[in-house]
Amino acid sequence: MSRAGGDGTAALERAGAETVRRAVELDLASRFQESLVCYQEGIDLLLQVVKATKDEGKKHHYRQKISEYMTRAEDIKKHVEKEKQDGKYHKQIKIEDNATGFSYEKLFQEYLTEIVSEVWVEDPYVRSVYQLYNFLRFCEMLVKGPCKVKTIHLLTSYDEGSGRTQQINGLEEIQQSLRNYGVTLNFEFSSSIHDREIRFNNGWMIKIGRGLDYFKKPKVRML
């Protein structure tokens, strides 16, 4: 029984040490947001070690290290918050071809705080059926999220071919669907829009190279 407990503590030590090592690497690389997450996870693991071990020397050692890591994590948190307030915080995510795990929830949830009530989307390519479906998925995420979104503004461009009627009908259907949840969708069209960005009224602005259309186009026709 004690051997199993010792093995478990050793595993926690290894995991904690590895996580903190990664936190320090990210910290030195100025990847502060990722570093903060690793520090927090590492601290939690080491706290479990302190709780589980009966070695007083080890307890003392890890308490000291935890205190150091907590101080650094708090400094990073203050630094990140200041950069956010100053509008200097920048985070870049590169999505490789055929990559998975980059749902709208995964990318946007950390910015959708409870105070978010209004969202602006600028994307020239909300036209075809699958692009309209992507926009619908984005709106559904807003409705289901922790925020209390009441208004969504979409600025896009007209479909240049015969699909203009389908585009407008699709947006009107989304508009009606959102209305059932107490959310207002305003959409406008511009022939000069090129940039793709999403803004939340908590101050966050997100630039997306391909807009909401970063999912691969389905190979079969959508119903």
Side-chain angles (χ1 to χ4, degrees):
M1 190 70 156
S2 60
R3 176 60 185 273
D7 290 345
T9 303
L12 283 172
E13 285 186 77
R14 288 193 296 272
E18 177 62 26
T19 305
V20 169
R21 184 190 64 78
R22 180 61 176 157
V24 173
E25 288 179 354
L26 292 167
D27 192 352
L28 292 173
S30 298
R31 293 165 63 179
F32 298 120
Q33 188 71 43
E34 295 166 87
S35 173
L36 180 59
V37 171
C38 287
Y39 272 123
Q40 291 169 335
E41 291 179 356
I43 288 168
D44 182 63
L45 288 166
L46 294 180
L47 283 170
Q48 292 180 55
V49 172
V50 170
K51 185 177 179 179
T53 187
K54 299 187 184 308
D55 185 325
E56 290 301 322
K58 189 172 288 188
K59 281 181 184 285
H60 178 71
H61 170 73
Y62 280 123
R63 282 175 179 148
Q64 282 188 318
K65 301 306 291 184
I66 288 169
S67 178
E68 293 174 14
Y69 299 142
M70 288 180 73
T71 298
R72 181 55 188 158
E74 191 60 34
D75 288 344
I76 291 174
K77 189 183 295 183
K78 290 177 182 177
H79 174 73
V80 170
E81 286 300 320
K82 186 176 186 306
E83 287 205 323
K84 288 179 181 177
Q85 292 171 6
D86 294 344
K88 297 177 182 177
Y89 181 71
H90 175 77
K91 178 178 180 181
Q92 183 174 8
I93 298 175
K94 185 175 182 180
I95 302 176
E96 303 290 348
D97 194 35
N98 295 317
T100 60
F102 292 96
S103 65
Y104 293 147
E105 287 80 3
K106 179 77 171 179
L107 291 182
F108 298 117
Q109 281 293 354
E110 66 176 293
Y111 311 109
L112 293 173
T113 57
E114 293 184 357
I115 66 171
V116 174
S117 60
E118 196 164 7
V119 179
W120 291 263
V121 178
E122 294 186 11
D123 188 336
Y125 296 103
V126 183
R127 302 178 180 179
S128 64
V129 174
Y130 81 95
Q131 291 167 340
L132 289 164
Y133 178 64
N134 286 340
F135 179 63
L136 174 61
R137 289 167 62 184
F138 176 76
C139 292
E140 288 176 341
M141 177 202 66
L142 296 176
V143 171
K144 295 175 182 177
C147 52
K148 302 293 186 290
V149 172
K150 294 298 180 184
T151 308
I152 301 170
H153 305 274
L154 170 67
L155 180 63
T156 188
S157 60
Y158 274 121
D159 190 299
E160 298 172 351
S162 58
R164 180 175 297 192
T165 300
Q166 176 180 267
Q167 178 190 21
I168 295 174
N169 288 342
L171 287 172
E172 288 177 344
E173 287 181 17
I174 296 173
Q175 186 179 55
Q176 180 57 52
S177 178
L178 289 169
R179 192 175 294 133
N180 295 333
Y181 290 92
V183 179
T184 299
L185 170 63
N186 300 314
F187 57 87
E188 298 180 19
F189 300 95
S190 170
S191 59
S192 59
I193 178 175
H194 298 292
D195 292 338
R196 299 168 174 89
E197 67 179 37
I198 296 170
R199 302 191 307 277
F200 303 124
N201 68 328
N202 60 354
W204 281 109
M205 176 188 294
I206 300 168
K207 297 278 190 178
I208 309 181
R210 293 189 60 187
L212 294 173
D213 188 20
Y214 63 82
F215 292 106
K216 282 198 169 184
K217 180 178 179 181
K219 294 181 179 179
V220 296
R221 185 178 183 276
M222 294 179 62
L223 300 177

